Amino acid sequence: MATFSSKSFNSALYQSFRPGYNNNFFKMVYNYHAKHNGHFDTAVDVGTGTGQVAVVLAEKFKQVHGVDASATMLSNAIKKSNVAYHVAKGEDLGVIASSSVDVLTVAQAMHWFHQPTFFSEVKRILKPRGTFAAVGYSFVVFEDHPRATRRIYELGDQPDQLGTLWDNGRLILDNLYKSIDVPLQNVERHYFPSSIKSQFRNAAASADYAPDAEDEASLPPVMTGRVTMKHFRNYIKTWSSYKNYCEKYPSRPDIVDLTIDAILKEENLKEEDEINITWPTVVILGENDA
């Protein structure tokens, strides 16, 4: 995650335009946790970025710690009286005491970590039967404009566009964490929504997706939005690969603007028009050893 840690990364843009997680995600986490540890005293959000998840957890927990390796990101973190932010890597959570955490979340960040070391820390700081919750999402889907979905996938995937400019770990995320072993008890993996995911597979035929049994279930999406095309343009500019592209090719035309302008023309859309979007998403839940 070197790009996000860079002092030149626009963390204010990230805070303004990165998507959040709707109540369905938090309900899944809280319902799972209530069946296990059940206490709602302390939560930790690892890879917290600008605190989007941490501040929601703060509505449920007495104390929340947001941890991120990037001081740049934390400089624009959302402030709340019961949220404390710490500069630390996911593989070194020494700022958090052992067996002190009821719920640990990691949103759109697990693919950046060295997994064995990270999970060693997860197991150390979680209380017995404490809950681990990870969420990750792949390239965005236009619900009503499949050709636009293909263009965004090509922008992010093709080597002549942004495909080779992602930081290490992106391929793990694109496969929705199927390759990550979670060394905890009672692990659940939820992939959804299946209808949107199928559309995504069709739009991006080269994507490596293998449906699991959970894909066929009718699960409510945890990441949807209705935004203007102007907002969507700014969201794409929060991609780490876009920043890397701009630094590598400063004299080239803006590749995101070229893609969005092509979508506007092809779909007969304007900057102020609103579109429905969904992100194919995985939620992983697990319980620490008793």
Side-chain angles (χ1 to χ4, degrees):
M1 57 180 297
T3 301
F4 292 138
S5 298
S6 170
K7 290 183 179 179
S8 63
F9 185 77
N10 192 337
S11 57
L13 186 75
Y14 185 101
Q15 166 57 28
S16 297
F17 294 104
R18 273 279 164 150
Y21 308 90
N22 66 32
N23 287 337
N24 292 325
F25 167 65
F26 294 97
K27 286 179 181 177
M28 290 178 71
V29 175
Y30 299 158
N31 289 342
Y32 180 95
H33 182 63
K35 296 175 182 177
H36 299 86
N37 172 285
H39 298 291
F40 290 86
D41 294 323
T42 303
V44 170
D45 183 45
V46 183
T48 197
T50 55
Q52 290 172 306
V53 170
V55 294
V56 179
L57 294 173
E59 298 172 3
K60 186 75 172 180
F61 292 84
K62 296 175 183 177
Q63 179 65 48
V64 176
H65 297 274
V67 179
D68 201 280
S70 172
T72 303
M73 295 290 265
L74 293 180
S75 68
N76 275 290
I78 308 165
K79 303 299 189 293
K80 209 159 189 176
S81 61
N82 61 334
V83 178
Y85 292 108
H86 313 273
V87 178
K89 294 182 179 180
E91 299 91 340
D92 184 5
L93 301 174
V95 294
I96 310 297
S98 298
S99 302
S100 65
V101 176
D102 296 294
V103 170
L104 181 148
T105 58
V106 54
Q108 197 68 355
M110 188 165 61
H111 48 290
W112 303 127
F113 306 147
H114 178 259
Q115 302 305 316
T117 310
F118 169 62
F119 277 110
S120 177
E121 282 291 81
V122 168
K123 298 179 79 167
R124 179 185 67 81
I125 69 173
L126 277 177
K127 294 177 181 178
R129 302 196 70 197
T131 294
F132 167 82
V135 60
Y137 57 89
S138 190
F139 293 120
V140 67
V141 171
F142 286 70
E143 294 185 20
D144 307 309
H145 303 280
R147 290 179 300 183
T149 296
R150 176 179 287 280
R151 280 195 177 273
I152 293 301
Y153 180 82
E154 290 174 348
L155 171 67
D157 181 71
Q158 294 301 305
D160 61 338
Q161 298 191 54
L162 300 180
T164 62
L165 295 170
W166 294 98
D167 293 344
N168 290 335
R170 178 72 204 193
L171 290 177
I172 299 172
L173 175 62
D174 285 346
N175 201 34
L176 294 180
Y177 295 159
K178 291 178 185 290
S179 64
I180 294 180
D181 178 55
V182 179
L184 299 169
Q185 303 179 133
N186 300 314
V187 174
E188 297 179 6
R189 294 176 185 256
H190 301 280
Y191 303 89
F192 50 99
S194 58
S195 61
I196 294 297
K197 196 171 173 192
S198 296
Q199 177 187 343
F200 181 78
R201 285 197 302 272
N202 292 335
S206 62
D208 180 19
Y209 278 110
D212 288 351
E214 296 96 325
D215 289 330
E216 308 309 320
S218 178
L219 294 171
V222 299
M223 292 201 64
T224 60
R226 183 172 176 81
V227 299
T228 64
M229 284 299 300
K230 181 179 180 179
H231 183 106
F232 184 81
R233 184 192 298 266
N234 283 311
Y235 156 63
I236 298 298
K237 291 185 177 184
T238 69
W239 284 4
S240 61
S241 57
Y242 170 72
K243 180 180 184 300
N244 293 335
Y245 181 93
C246 292
E247 290 182 349
K248 187 174 183 177
Y249 305 113
S251 62
R252 289 188 182 182
D254 189 300
I255 194 168
V256 169
D257 286 341
L258 290 175
T259 299
I260 299 302
D261 290 346
I263 289 174
L264 293 177
K265 182 177 180 180
E266 190 171 60
E267 302 296 329
N268 194 27
L269 292 168
K270 298 182 176 62
E271 288 278 301
E272 62 272 18
D273 286 342
E274 293 186 339
I275 45 132
N276 296 309
I277 50 180
T278 297
W279 288 260
T281 309
V282 61
V283 174
I284 304 175
L285 301 167
E287 177 189 12
N288 200 23
D289 298 338

